Amino acid sequence: MTYDEVQTLLQMINIDLNEQYAFSLFKKCDQSANGRLEYGEIELFCRELLRRPELDAVFRQYSSNSRVLSTVDLRDFLNDQGEDNTLVHAQSLILTYELNEWAKKNQLMTANGFTMYMLSKENDVFDPEHGRVYQDMSRPLSHYFISSSHNTYLTKDQLVGESSTDPYIRALSHGCRCVELDCWDGDKEPLIYHGHTLTSKVPFREVVETIAEYAFKASPYPLILSLENHCSVDQQTIMARQLHSILRDKLLTKPLNDQLSESLPSPEELKGKILVKGKKERVEQESSSSSESSCSEDESKAEGKAKAKKEGKKVSKLSPELSDLVVYTRSVPFKGFDQAAKKPPNEMSSFSESEALKHIKNSGKFFVRHNSRQLSRIYPSGQRLQSSNYNPQDMWNAGCQIVALNFQTDGEQMDLNRGRFLPNGHCGYVLKPSFLCQPDSEFNPENTGGGPGHSPTLLTIKVISAQQLPKPDTEKLNSIVDPMVWVETHGAPIDNNKKKTHRIDNNGFNPRWDCTFKFLLHVPELVLIRFVVEDHDYTARNEFLGQFTLPFTSMRTGYRHVRLLKADGSSLSPASLFIHVKVTPNYGSPKHAASPKA
């Protein structure tokens, strides 16, 4: 095999390795120095390339003779992994991953073949079945968490950042299903930008054209346009006509059955449709107050009364043409849960993060019930001038669907958002747990010592090792990393926890920890698991190296690899963690959940 053929083989079986390291090993194993690896040299290359003592230990644990795995041995391993342990599946794995022809012929797997198999994507911690749309998509919209972006047009902060169509492309390409358009009067046509700031401006038309092109490339399910309408009636009419002419039949302009029903339609029924979220003029009103006709989220409260007055004067009416485009997502001021319960399900309210947290603390159960039937949109505080983000998990705990984050700002909050919407084919809609979908739910996100959703589960994670960790993106290019790993659980307040390994000095290639952590999860259906790898620093803050976040319900048990991601969510391949996961459901006594100190 030539070096190119070796690279092709590794690519075929989904093994990504540092090219410089792979080539130096190739040269070392090419003992005949002819630029090719012969039979014995191929085995030597594989043995050296895939040398993983921790995988060898697992191999010996299941091998009846410590030399090879029979199909019986392999089926025992698959059974413990919680996977298909049929003879046919075991045989197919040997045919796919075993390189030794004699072993393959005799239906045996060598240590090299086992390593190849364990390094493949078949052993990712994320359940591959959840990589496709697997949930029921025929439930009302209010029964789903919906991936949502705030100030989508901004590339950076809210004061001097650039407004552009590029963030819409990025958000839509990552499955976002609710984007925001901050609309203001331009000279002749409406513009999009952050009002009363130095952010640049982009034409409304250009944004809508971008949305038309990218709306359904990553997901076929409905896209919601959250309009922040600061325009005059004339320019609102221009907005309505541009939405019509550019989006054409994608634009939803009337109820599906020509009448509103007792519940919202489903993502399945609204496939391929774009919904406008905004104010809708009441037929009997000649003109509307500013709270009924201006921006659909009243951020002016957070940004000062002066601005509120200013905007109130600017917009006194809605354009009937724009008002007519609002069907299932009509923005209304929130006037209490009792009053909202009497309104049709197409009416929805926006809450600042502080307002939402107040409702969760004071009326958590009623907020959950409200969100079983009507949509709620949560947006960041106007004080977050650098476009930082709040913790979205707090809002999901109350069943809030449209939890809008600043997608342009990387960090823990966006990691959680990407993790939440990782399953269900990355389509931007994730079905809420059943206890968040019942109109008479007794679930209270602030108190989960019992009741709906309470299902004590012991999660045991052993962080065994890491492979090929990168150097941090800083000036310390010549230093070798001293890695440590955090394992975090994010869910109901009672389930928030984090534990860390010790650091390993000067080893980013194959550090080994063998640290075991136990987490008692009370409401497992809401929990996200986040793995974070940092470079320990004695003199300053530890530096981020990589992370991976996924729902507990999408996590596979057994020996697994965690494929790390960069801060922006892109792949950090070939960097990974090797872990073991054990789940003990119906775990009774909390005293058994005490974990060793890290």
Side-chain angles (χ1 to χ4, degrees):
M1 294 178 78
T2 64
Y3 177 67
D4 286 344
E5 289 171 333
V6 168
Q7 285 285 74
T8 301
L9 173 66
L10 293 175
Q11 196 174 5
M12 281 172 59
I13 54 180
N14 291 321
I15 293 178
D16 189 359
L17 291 147
N18 180 288
E19 191 167 343
Q20 189 178 354
Y21 175 69
F23 186 68
S24 65
L25 270 188
F26 180 89
K27 298 277 283 184
K28 177 183 173 183
C29 297
D30 182 15
Q31 295 167 340
S32 56
N34 65 353
R36 300 178 65 84
L37 298 183
E38 312 302 336
Y39 290 109
E41 293 170 338
I42 292 174
E43 242 179 273
L44 176 63
F45 176 82
C46 290
R47 198 160 55 244
E48 290 294 321
L49 184 67
L50 307 175
R51 189 181 293 279
R52 290 277 299 277
E54 69 274 36
L55 288 179
D56 291 342
V58 178
F59 176 83
R60 288 193 299 272
Q61 178 186 338
Y62 285 91
S63 172
S64 50
N65 62 8
S66 297
R67 293 194 301 276
V68 293
L69 291 176
S70 66
T71 50
V72 173
D73 297 335
L74 187 53
R75 289 176 70 186
D76 286 342
F77 173 74
L78 293 170
N79 183 63
D80 288 352
Q81 292 279 94
E83 290 186 39
D84 176 3
N85 68 334
T86 60
L87 176 63
V88 171
H89 185 55
Q91 289 171 335
S92 73
L93 292 179
I94 291 170
L95 286 172
T96 304
Y97 295 101
E98 182 53 60
L99 297 174
N100 184 296
E101 290 300 327
W102 176 86
K104 193 182 288 189
K105 195 178 294 182
N106 287 277
Q107 295 190 3
L108 300 170
M109 184 175 269
T110 64
N112 281 345
F114 182 72
T115 300
M116 287 283 206
Y117 167 55
M118 291 302 292
L119 288 179
S120 75
K121 289 183 179 175
E122 289 203 47
N123 281 289
D124 282 0
V125 69
F126 177 66
D127 187 342
E129 285 299 304
H130 291 192
R132 60 179 180 82
V133 175
Y134 70 98
Q135 295 180 336
D136 180 3
M137 301 304 286
S138 63
R139 308 270 288 278
L141 283 181
S142 55
H143 289 193
Y144 298 83
F145 295 126
I146 303 171
S147 179
S148 306
S149 162
H150 176 253
N151 287 352
T152 313
Y153 49 89
L154 288 180
T155 56
K156 289 184 182 176
D157 64 73
Q158 303 184 57
L159 289 177
V160 296
E162 181 187 354
S163 301
S164 168
T165 57
D166 289 345
Y168 287 94
I169 297 172
R170 281 196 295 275
L172 294 171
S173 298
H174 287 93
C176 181
R177 295 290 83 194
C178 180
V179 295
E180 184 176 10
L181 293 81
D182 236 335
C183 309
W184 299 81
D185 281 358
D187 287 342
K188 294 181 179 177
E189 293 188 353
L191 300 171
I192 289 179
Y193 64 99
H194 200 56
H196 309 292
T197 66
L198 299 176
T199 58
S200 64
K201 302 171 183 179
V202 60
F204 179 81
R205 175 189 293 276
E206 286 184 20
V207 170
V208 178
E209 286 171 347
T210 300
I211 288 169
E213 183 177 353
Y214 290 91
F216 301 109
K217 287 199 171 180
S219 170
Y221 295 105
L223 174 66
I224 300 169
L225 306 186
S226 182
L227 296 187
E228 298 306 309
N229 174 17
H230 307 277
C231 291
S232 62
V233 174
D234 288 347
Q235 294 220 354
Q236 289 177 40
T237 300
I238 294 172
M239 286 166 57
R241 291 173 183 175
Q242 288 181 351
L243 287 167
H244 264 294
S245 64
I246 296 167
L247 300 180
R248 305 171 75 87
D249 60 352
K250 294 189 187 85
L251 183 65
L252 186 83
T253 57
K254 61 181 182 178
L256 294 179
N257 299 315
D258 290 327
Q259 60 180 16
L260 295 170
S261 64
E262 288 301 305
S263 62
L264 291 168
S266 69
E268 187 64 35
E269 290 173 304
L270 292 170
K271 248 183 178 178
K273 290 296 181 183
I274 295 176
L275 283 62
V276 172
K277 172 194 164 294
K279 301 295 182 182
K280 191 172 182 70
E281 192 140 50
R282 298 186 187 277
V283 177
E284 69 274 12
Q285 289 180 329
E286 183 64 32
S287 67
S288 305
S289 67
S290 62
S291 65
E292 183 68 16
S293 62
S294 64
C295 55
S296 65
E297 75 184 36
D298 193 11
E299 287 181 284
S300 55
K301 285 183 184 176
E303 294 173 7
K305 293 180 181 177
K307 182 184 166 189
K309 285 179 183 174
K310 194 173 181 183
E311 288 174 3
K313 287 176 187 173
K314 272 191 180 180
V315 183
S316 60
K317 277 185 76 175
L318 275 171
S319 157
E321 287 186 44
L322 187 61
S323 174
D324 287 347
L325 297 183
V326 177
V327 182
Y328 291 116
T329 45
R330 176 183 183 176
S331 300
V332 298
F334 181 71
K335 296 180 180 177
F337 293 114
D338 288 343
Q339 189 164 334
K342 299 170 187 173
K343 301 293 183 180
N346 70 319
E347 293 195 2
M348 61 174 290
S349 298
S350 291
F351 304 86
S352 70
E353 58 178 286
S354 56
E355 288 173 326
L357 289 173
K358 183 180 72 177
H359 290 311
I360 291 168
K361 183 178 180 180
N362 298 334
S363 317
K365 183 168 68 175
F366 298 101
F367 207 1
V368 168
R369 292 178 179 180
H370 173 81
N371 288 326
S372 72
R373 181 171 167 272
Q374 288 160 291
L375 296 174
S376 289
R377 179 176 182 267
I378 316 299
Y379 59 91
S381 162
Q383 309 303 314
R384 294 184 181 273
L385 301 179
Q386 297 302 313
S387 295
S388 59
N389 282 310
Y390 56 88
N391 181 359
Q393 185 66 50
D394 294 332
M395 313 306 172
W396 293 324
N397 291 340
C400 299
Q401 305 88 351
I402 303 178
V403 179
L405 296 182
N406 293 305
F407 273 40
Q408 72 273 30
T409 307
D410 298 328
E412 178 183 308
Q413 297 81 12
M414 274 305 296
D415 292 344
L416 297 179
N417 197 70
R418 293 186 191 104
R420 175 63 67 203
F421 294 102
L422 181 65
N424 209 31
H426 222 156
C427 75
Y429 284 84
V430 170
L431 194 59
K432 300 195 293 190
S434 60
F435 54 84
L436 293 179
C437 298
Q438 295 153 0
D440 57 352
S441 176
E442 292 293 323
F443 180 76
N444 185 343
E446 289 291 290
N447 177 21
T448 49
H454 188 255
S455 177
T457 300
L458 183 66
L459 171 64
T460 306
I461 296 178
K462 183 177 184 180
V463 179
I464 302 171
S465 63
Q467 297 74 43
Q468 302 186 77
L469 298 175
K471 292 181 180 181
D473 295 329
T474 64
E475 62 277 1
K476 300 192 299 183
L477 294 175
N478 296 323
S479 66
I480 300 174
V481 299
D482 306 319
M484 55 183 285
V485 181
W486 288 92
V487 182
E488 306 170 354
T489 57
H490 299 260
I494 198 171
D495 288 333
N496 292 333
N497 206 342
K498 62 196 298 188
K499 301 173 190 290
K500 66 176 179 177
T501 67
H502 54 280
R503 72 172 187 276
I504 302 290
D505 290 333
N506 297 323
N507 186 353
F509 187 72
N510 57 358
R512 186 162 179 179
W513 293 277
D514 290 316
C515 285
T516 301
F517 304 124
K518 294 179 185 291
F519 300 90
L520 180 59
L521 308 179
H522 296 80
V523 191
E525 285 185 85
L526 282 174
V527 170
L528 293 170
I529 312 296
R530 182 173 182 250
F531 298 90
V532 186
V533 186
E534 293 180 341
D535 178 18
H536 181 266
D537 195 311
Y538 292 93
T539 59
R541 188 177 176 182
N542 291 352
E543 295 201 60
F544 173 91
L545 295 179
Q547 72 83 34
F548 186 76
T549 307
L550 77 165
F552 168 75
T553 50
S554 295
M555 189 180 221
R556 299 160 86 198
T557 56
Y559 290 97
R560 301 293 173 190
H561 279 95
V562 179
R563 312 286 172 182
L564 296 174
L565 303 176
K566 297 177 185 175
D568 65 1
S570 60
S571 172
L572 196 57
S573 182
S576 65
L577 294 175
F578 183 52
I579 64 171
H580 183 270
V581 179
K582 182 182 178 185
V583 173
T584 310
N586 306 314
Y587 193 74
S589 174
K591 69 181 180 181
H592 294 134
S595 65
K597 287 186 179 179

